[in-house]
């Protein structure tokens, strides 16, 4: 079964860069799935940030496209998120998730990591 | 962008009751709607894919229906463990979007 594990700083200063990594133990980053980031502000709903596949093709949410970058490291079986120029509005639980290329559902999720933007 | 609007936002229900949650899309999306359950402090889990197909391991009391712009998630015989927030998600077009969520409280 695919497992996903997010890691990264829990506190980022305003105007700084949020950086998170998602490891995929028990699975292969080179599979046909799309590897996604989804966030959830405290007490609110889910927002898709973007995705990457094993060959490095990416898709981003237009609302964040100017600030976001997703990359993949096949040698480490992981993918990463960078979000720059952060503000308090970027405070959220960030999930990495796999989007099944068969059904286009998010079938596996990480446990989520809370990132707070504060000075 | 496809906007998804769920109703109701909140519902308080008793065990064994039948619950219906609706999701309306801002444009026709065929059956490219999926339903997730998110319990407190947990990650979302898939319940239903493509409007009406049960996902592996999901109890049979969960079912879905609809096509085009109007979709429904039904829970027949609510159980205490079903207390959660439920989200619809569309995969018809990028960016993927979610409904705002429906929080289910068990009395």
């Amino acid at each position: 079964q695919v497992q996903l594990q997010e890691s990264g700083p829990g506190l980022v200063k305003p105007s700084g860069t949020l950086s998170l990594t998602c490891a995929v133990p028990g699975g292969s980053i080179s599979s046909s799935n799309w590897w996604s980031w989804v966030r959830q502000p405290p007490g609110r709903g889910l927002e898709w940030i973007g995705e990457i596949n094993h060959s490095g093709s990416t898709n981003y949410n237009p609302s964040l496209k100017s600030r976001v970058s997703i990359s993949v490291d096949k040698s480490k079986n992981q993918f990463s998120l960078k979000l720059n120029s952060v503000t308090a509005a970027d405070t959220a639980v960030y999930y990495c998730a796999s989007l099944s290329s068969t059904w286009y559902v998010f079938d596996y999720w990480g446990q989520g990591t809370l990132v707070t933007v504060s000075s | 962008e496809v906007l998804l609007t769920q109703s109701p936002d909140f519902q308080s229900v008793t065990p064994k009751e039948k619950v219906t949650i609706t999701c309306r899309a801002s444009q026709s999306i065929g059956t490219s709607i999926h339903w997730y359950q998110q319990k407190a402090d947990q990650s979302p889990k898939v319940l239903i894919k493509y409007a009406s197909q049960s996902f592996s391991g999901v109890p049979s009391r969960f079912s879905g229906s609809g096509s085009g712009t109007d979709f429904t998630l039904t829970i027949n015989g609510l159980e205490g463990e079903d207390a959660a927030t439920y989200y619809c998600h569309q995969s018809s077009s990028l960016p993927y979007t979610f409904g705002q969520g429906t929080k289910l409280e068990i009395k």
Side-chain angles (χ1 to χ4, degrees), chain A residues 40 44-46 48 51 59 61-62 95 99 103-107 109-111, chain B residues 1 34 36 38 42-44 46 49-50 55 87 89 91 94-96 98 100:
Chain A
Q40 185 171 37
R44 299 183 61 185
L46 301 163
W48 177 74
E51 63 183 2
N59 294 301
N61 193 322
Y95 295 98
L99 184 82
W103 301 308
Y104 282 84
V105 295
F106 296 106
D107 52 356
W109 297 69
Q111 78 281 4
Chain B
E1 175 174 320
H34 318 290
Y36 299 79
Q38 185 180 33
Q42 294 186 18
S43 307
V46 185
K49 56 181 170 68
Y50 288 107
F55 201 71
Y87 294 94
H89 151 233
S91 61
L94 294 172
Y96 301 127
F98 294 87
Q100 82 277 15

Side-chain angles (χ1 to χ4, degrees), chain B residues 29-93:
Chain B
I29 56 172
T31 57
S32 297
I33 202 79
H34 318 290
W35 291 95
Y36 299 79
Q37 176 194 66
Q38 185 180 33
K39 296 183 179 180
D41 299 320
Q42 294 186 18
S43 307
K45 295 180 180 178
V46 185
L47 297 173
I48 302 290
K49 56 181 170 68
Y50 288 107
S52 62
Q53 300 174 22
S54 293
F55 201 71
S56 175
V58 174
S60 59
R61 63 182 180 274
F62 293 94
S63 63
S65 64
S67 66
T69 59
D70 294 310
F71 304 90
T72 299
L73 173 70
T74 301
I75 310 174
N76 274 298
L78 193 76
E79 297 191 4
E81 65 182 25
D82 299 333
T85 301
Y86 294 82
Y87 294 94
C88 55
H89 151 233
Q90 67 82 22
S91 61
S92 175
S93 62

Side-chain angles (χ1 to χ4, degrees), chain A residues 21-109:
Chain A
T21 296
C22 182
V24 191
S28 173
I29 203 81
S30 296
S31 73
S32 57
N33 287 358
W34 283 84
W35 305 100
S36 292
W37 289 96
V38 177
R39 71 179 182 178
Q40 185 171 37
R44 299 183 61 185
L46 301 163
E47 179 182 31
W48 177 74
I49 297 170
E51 63 183 2
I52 191 167
N53 68 5
H54 63 90
S55 63
S57 296
T58 55
N59 294 301
Y60 298 124
N61 193 322
S63 67
L64 297 168
K65 189 173 184 177
S66 64
R67 300 194 291 131
V68 70
S69 175
I70 298 174
S71 60
V72 65
D73 187 336
K74 288 190 283 187
S75 68
K76 295 183 178 180
N77 213 38
Q78 64 185 32
F79 62 106
S80 299
L81 168 71
K82 289 189 184 299
L83 182 67
N84 57 38
S85 304
V86 297
T87 69
D90 295 309
T91 294
V93 174
Y94 286 76
Y95 295 98
C96 57
S98 74
L99 184 82
S100 164
S101 59
T102 303
W103 301 308
Y104 282 84
V105 295
F106 296 106
D107 52 356
Y108 295 102
W109 297 69

